Amino acid sequence: MSATTANSWSSTVDPSAPGGRRGPRDRPQKWGNPVTYFIALLFIAVCIAPVLYIVVGGFRTNSQITTSPAALPHPWVFSNYLNVLKSTTFWGEFANSLVVGLASTIGIVVLGLMVSFVIARYDFKLKGAMYSLFAAGLMFPMVIAITPLYIVIKNIGLVDNLLGIIVPQIAFGLPTTVIILVPFLRAIPNEIEEACAIDGVSRLGFFFRMVVPLSLPGVVTVGILAFIGSWNNYVLPLYILNSQANFTLPLGVQAFSSQYSTDTAKVLAFTSLAMLPALIFFSLFEKRIVGGLTGAVKG
């Protein structure tokens, strides 16, 4: 047998398998049911098609959209996007959304991690009731409580103020954060905490030196979910914010659509630029979200 033949033979067999037969990993994987793939592709198309239509529509003129709504731009028009990018209104609303998103995310992560640490690592009365209270918070979305929430915000003088958006978002973001982080913190072995105590590390030192680094996958997950949820929030800013100088991008899209209702192409360009940051952010950190949620389930 030649050397080439021997090499090709050795590459197709599993040495650890009895008789030199192929191992399970070397066997060709079977395709699943074609119907499953068809349904999956159908759902993907339903999700992606509207986004592509909005993005591509921004590169067209109103006459092109009226004449051939489903056709590609011919020629491609970049002025719609350039005019939006030159607008100070767009960048002001972008800055407002960024401030609200970052502040809400920091508040949700910091407070949620502290609460989760207490629930996961301390034994006290009503511990189960506290955890159940946060779990019950998942069943009450912000839309249900929007009227009493507006009254509370009005009474404390935060109407038409970005803090009137940030504080409620932190409160309504805590249940999801606690539910995800508690399993991470419970999974930290007690031996690590005992070793830190022997070395003279306080509970607070154990929290910052060990808990925070070990729970980083969960922290990143809840941070991403909080930021995306804040960026896309529309109902709360609609009730709280009155002046356009304080508008976030979701409200800006609505106001822009009303102002330029006859210029469909420009509205599509503004809409696509408004949703682009959240799409990019989610695409970049998608694996971290899945990994963090998987870790929570295993914990």
Side-chain angles (χ1 to χ4, degrees), residues 4-299:
T4 305
T5 307
N7 291 335
S8 62
W9 171 261
S10 61
S11 63
T12 58
V13 296
D14 185 0
S16 60
R21 292 174 296 177
R22 291 190 179 189
R25 296 182 179 179
D26 297 324
R27 295 172 185 169
Q29 297 293 329
K30 293 183 179 180
W31 286 84
N33 192 339
V35 177
T36 304
Y37 287 97
F38 174 77
I39 296 175
L41 291 175
L42 186 62
F43 274 106
I44 292 173
V46 169
C47 295
I48 294 179
V51 178
L52 289 178
Y53 181 84
I54 293 173
V55 174
V56 175
F59 291 101
R60 308 170 70 187
T61 62
N62 292 320
S63 60
Q64 291 179 12
I65 295 176
T66 304
T67 305
S68 303
L72 291 174
H74 184 75
W76 290 72
V77 179
F78 297 91
S79 59
N80 295 323
Y81 284 96
L82 294 177
N83 291 334
V84 173
L85 292 174
K86 293 178 182 178
S87 171
T88 56
T89 301
F90 172 81
W91 290 112
E93 294 166 354
F94 180 91
N96 291 336
S97 291
L98 190 61
V99 170
V100 172
L102 291 178
S104 300
T105 302
I106 293 172
I108 290 171
V109 170
V110 172
L111 295 178
L113 187 58
M114 291 180 179
V115 173
S116 301
F117 176 71
V118 173
I119 294 176
R121 310 296 299 187
Y122 285 76
D123 290 325
F124 55 92
K125 292 182 179 179
L126 302 179
K127 172 182 176 180
M130 180 182 292
Y131 187 74
S132 300
L133 182 63
F134 281 104
L138 297 175
M139 298 183 291
F140 295 94
M142 189 180 297
V143 178
I144 296 178
I146 193 64
T147 301
L149 185 62
Y150 173 78
I151 296 174
V152 172
I153 294 174
K154 183 179 180 181
N155 290 336
I156 61 178
L158 292 181
V159 173
D160 201 21
N161 192 316
L162 293 183
L163 280 176
I165 308 297
I166 295 171
V167 175
Q169 286 187 162
I170 293 175
F172 280 88
L174 283 177
T176 304
T177 303
V178 171
I179 296 301
I180 293 177
L181 289 184
V182 165
F184 276 95
L185 304 186
R186 282 178 179 168
I188 298 176
N190 293 327
E191 290 78 6
I192 297 179
E193 187 173 0
E194 294 172 358
C196 291
I198 294 174
D199 292 338
V201 179
S202 63
R203 283 286 184 99
L204 195 60
F206 170 70
F207 176 79
F208 285 107
R209 295 183 184 181
M210 302 302 300
V211 172
V212 174
L214 291 176
S215 60
L216 195 59
V219 171
V220 173
T221 298
V222 296
I224 295 169
L225 294 176
F227 183 83
I228 294 176
S230 172
W231 188 275
N232 293 329
N233 195 353
Y234 173 76
V235 175
L236 185 61
L238 179 64
Y239 275 76
I240 304 302
L241 302 178
N242 298 325
S243 59
Q244 190 167 4
N246 292 328
F247 279 4
T248 56
L249 271 178
L251 273 186
V253 171
Q254 187 269 338
F256 191 87
S257 302
S258 301
Q259 183 178 358
Y260 296 93
S261 57
T262 58
D263 195 345
T264 306
K266 197 171 184 178
V267 171
L268 292 177
F270 192 98
T271 305
S272 60
L273 288 174
M275 68 181 180
L276 196 59
L279 291 175
I280 294 175
F281 193 78
F282 185 83
S283 300
L284 291 177
F285 296 101
E286 177 187 3
K287 291 184 179 180
R288 287 189 173 270
I289 296 176
V290 175
L293 294 177
T294 304
V297 172
K298 289 181 179 178

